[in-house]
Amino acid sequence: MESVVKTDRRILRTKQSITKSFLELFSEKDFEHITINEIADRANVNRGTVYLHYSDKYDLLDKCIEEHINELISLCKKREHDTVSHGMVQEPKPVFDYFRDHFPFFSAMFSNQRAFLFRDQLLKFITVNLMVKMERSDNTPIIDNEIKAQFMASAFIGIVEWWIRHHMPQSTQFMADQVRNLFENNQVYPR
Amino acid sequence: MESVVKTDRRILRTKQSITKSFLELFSEKDFEHITINEIADRANVNRGTVYLHYSDKYDLLDKCIEEHINELISLCKKREHDTVSHGMVQEPKPVFDYFRDHFPFFSAMFSNQRAFLFRDQLLKFITVNLMVKMERSDNTPIIDNEIKAQFMASAFIGIVEWWIRHHMPQSTQFMADQVRNLFENNQVYPR
DNA sequence: CAACGGCCGTTAAATATTCAACACGCGTTC
DNA sequence: GAACGCGTGTTGAATATTTAACGGCCGTTG
């Protein structure tokens, strides 16, 4: 179907080390005080190379967020197509697993003032997922779907934030079970 | 004096990841079963790139050993020129610090059959250091200097090996003190 | 025997990255 | 104000690495 031109190993490698370096710094100090020099040094990469992939540090932050949101989307998309499971609503564990596997990133995002975009994007992602699920169920709702989705999504993110900022005191399975029950109680999908 | 052409960052980076990858594998499995493919994959580097720096895995092993021996040598050389301290005999702590700081490497070396060259090189390094020190002292020895050096060097390496293979149960300072006392008792240098 | 898969060591051309140098802005110091 | 250090963003030429291919060797499998 689409041309599968796999990207050059060097590109993957440098992008990886740049984002790793950046996220480390992001969790260490204020975003405004991070310099491209620092990022490049820690990534063991020439300063110019950073500009080859990102226009500035704001762009870098955006790309980092985008990347993870896209990962989450494709994670749910993949599972939508499965005949067995159905997205993050009925089986939220994989999503929690993803949060766990990328703890450094999400931890940095939740503990930093700078992450407006991150919250927005994540909220949109969750809301869309919930909307899709609710629209599929036939029950005519008393509460407007969009409002309910916003309500639930905010709640969900609140839980995730709490879980991450407390260094994940519970297992992903436990969290998934809890959230699924909450979704059920609020009739996000008909039991 | 000599032209200080600093080597390209890319070279340093790839050499670093290749040796890191190699030493990991070296501590995990038998040397003969390690393939260049594995090394390259784990280093996140093209297979051909390995050949750009090393002719084969034997060469790679040799270079790794050589590199650390040279580090040790320059470490001692630097301290020789100091007016205060005098090489590894009177103050062995920096040497132990070096062993500690590169524990993965030395651990791999001591726990693997393959490290003939390593033992030889290390033994030579220690012996030379001892010889130099002993020749400087005026006392006419009953025991031949070279024999004594061999004796002491083997003993020293034995201690280091024990220390490394037992995961460094004592501090470097403690080990240094012990060794200095042993050297003193055996009159490597006049007290 | 033949076919195959895996690893080796090497090559030419394409490409990503480095290096060294710009010009610029901004705050500090003398 | 001038000189300076420091970070930004950009450039062109040099260079390291990748990619995709080659032929060869060896052990396994049919």
Side-chain angles (χ1 to χ4, degrees):
Chain A
M1 189 69 67
E2 67 274 11
S3 56
V4 234
V5 274
K6 50 181 172 179
T7 49
D8 192 302
R9 183 172 223 156
R10 286 169 291 188
I11 295 179
L12 296 173
R13 212 172 40 203
T14 58
K15 277 191 176 174
Q16 209 175 299
S17 33
I18 289 174
T19 54
K20 179 168 178 289
S21 155
F22 170 63
L23 290 177
E24 278 177 28
L25 288 164
F26 190 76
S27 67
E28 285 173 19
K29 58 194 293 189
D30 182 50
F31 178 72
E32 289 307 327
H33 293 138
I34 298 176
T35 74
I36 300 287
N37 266 318
E38 280 178 310
I39 297 168
D41 271 354
R42 197 181 287 220
N44 201 14
V45 146
N46 191 280
R47 188 167 59 89
T49 311
V50 178
Y51 292 109
L52 247 40
H53 299 282
Y54 310 97
S55 56
D56 50 34
K57 64 178 178 177
Y58 303 95
D59 183 43
L60 174 50
L61 176 58
D62 291 358
K63 292 268 175 67
C64 284
I65 292 170
E66 233 181 277
E67 191 190 306
H68 280 286
I69 297 289
N70 285 337
E71 276 297 310
L72 280 167
I73 289 173
S74 74
L75 183 69
C76 290
K77 275 253 170 50
K78 209 187 310 165
R79 290 157 39 68
E80 283 278 341
H81 295 172
D82 270 4
T83 49
V84 187
S85 66
H86 304 281
M88 63 151 280
V89 172
Q90 272 149 8
E91 192 37 58
K93 180 163 180 295
V95 175
F96 275 100
D97 285 342
Y98 186 85
F99 288 140
R100 192 231 304 123
D101 294 343
H102 300 84
F103 176 76
F105 171 75
F106 291 105
S107 178
M109 282 304 143
F110 278 125
S111 15
N112 202 300
Q113 300 98 318
R114 184 72 213 178
F116 307 121
L117 182 59
F118 169 68
R119 287 198 99 88
D120 277 3
Q121 297 270 84
L122 187 55
L123 192 65
K124 188 160 71 182
F125 160 67
I126 307 284
T127 310
V128 166
N129 260 275
L130 291 178
M131 292 278 287
V132 166
K133 184 55 61 181
M134 292 189 300
E135 273 161 13
R136 277 192 198 156
S137 61
D138 304 330
N139 57 339
T140 52
I142 301 169
I143 301 172
D144 180 70
N145 270 346
E146 187 158 1
I147 290 179
K148 196 197 259 186
Q150 284 294 336
F151 176 79
M152 296 300 297
S154 300
F156 177 77
I157 292 181
I159 287 184
V160 172
E161 174 168 4
W162 168 86
W163 183 62
I164 293 286
R165 296 185 75 160
H166 286 73
H167 303 90
M168 310 183 291
Q170 283 87 17
S171 72
T172 56
Q173 183 63 63
F174 177 82
M175 293 302 293
D177 290 341
Q178 295 283 307
V179 164
R180 196 166 356 86
N181 281 330
L182 288 168
F183 281 158
E184 252 180 62
N185 290 343
N186 285 276
Q187 298 178 353
V188 169
Y189 64 97
R191 188 204 11 70
Chain B
M1 190 68 67
E2 66 276 12
S3 57
V4 233
V5 274
K6 51 180 173 180
T7 49
D8 193 303
R9 184 171 222 156
R10 288 169 288 187
I11 294 178
L12 296 174
R13 210 173 40 204
T14 58
K15 277 191 179 175
Q16 209 174 297
S17 34
I18 288 173
T19 54
K20 179 168 179 290
S21 155
F22 170 63
L23 290 178
E24 278 178 28
L25 288 165
F26 191 76
S27 67
E28 285 172 19
K29 58 194 291 191
D30 182 50
F31 178 72
E32 290 306 327
H33 292 137
I34 298 175
T35 75
I36 300 286
N37 265 318
E38 281 177 309
I39 297 168
D41 271 355
R42 196 179 287 217
N44 202 12
V45 146
N46 191 280
R47 188 166 60 88
T49 310
V50 177
Y51 292 109
L52 247 40
H53 299 282
Y54 311 97
S55 56
D56 50 35
K57 65 179 178 177
Y58 303 96
D59 183 44
L60 174 50
L61 176 58
D62 292 357
K63 293 268 175 64
C64 284
I65 292 170
E66 231 181 277
E67 191 191 306
H68 280 286
I69 297 289
N70 285 337
E71 277 297 312
L72 280 167
I73 288 172
S74 76
L75 184 68
C76 290
K77 274 252 168 52
K78 208 187 310 165
R79 290 158 39 67
E80 283 278 341
H81 294 171
D82 269 6
T83 48
V84 188
S85 66
H86 303 280
M88 64 153 278
V89 172
Q90 272 149 6
E91 193 37 60
K93 179 162 180 297
V95 175
F96 275 101
D97 285 343
Y98 186 85
F99 288 141
R100 190 227 310 121
D101 294 344
H102 300 85
F103 176 75
F105 170 75
F106 291 105
S107 178
M109 283 303 144
F110 278 125
S111 12
N112 202 301
Q113 301 98 318
R114 183 74 213 178
F116 306 121
L117 182 60
F118 169 68
R119 288 197 99 87
D120 278 3
Q121 296 270 84
L122 187 56
L123 192 65
K124 189 160 72 181
F125 160 68
I126 307 285
T127 309
V128 167
N129 260 276
L130 291 177
M131 292 278 288
V132 166
K133 186 53 63 184
M134 291 189 301
E135 272 160 15
R136 277 192 198 155
S137 62
D138 305 332
N139 58 340
T140 52
I142 301 169
I143 301 173
D144 181 72
N145 269 348
E146 187 159 2
I147 290 178
K148 195 196 259 187
Q150 284 295 335
F151 176 79
M152 296 300 297
S154 301
F156 177 77
I157 292 181
I159 287 184
V160 172
E161 173 168 4
W162 169 87
W163 184 62
I164 292 284
R165 296 186 73 159
H166 286 73
H167 303 90
M168 311 181 291
Q170 283 87 19
S171 73
T172 57
Q173 183 63 64
F174 177 81
M175 293 302 293
D177 290 342
Q178 294 283 307
V179 163
R180 196 166 357 85
N181 281 330
L182 287 168
F183 282 158
E184 253 181 61
N185 290 342
N186 285 276
Q187 298 176 355
V188 170
Y189 64 97
R191 184 201 18 69

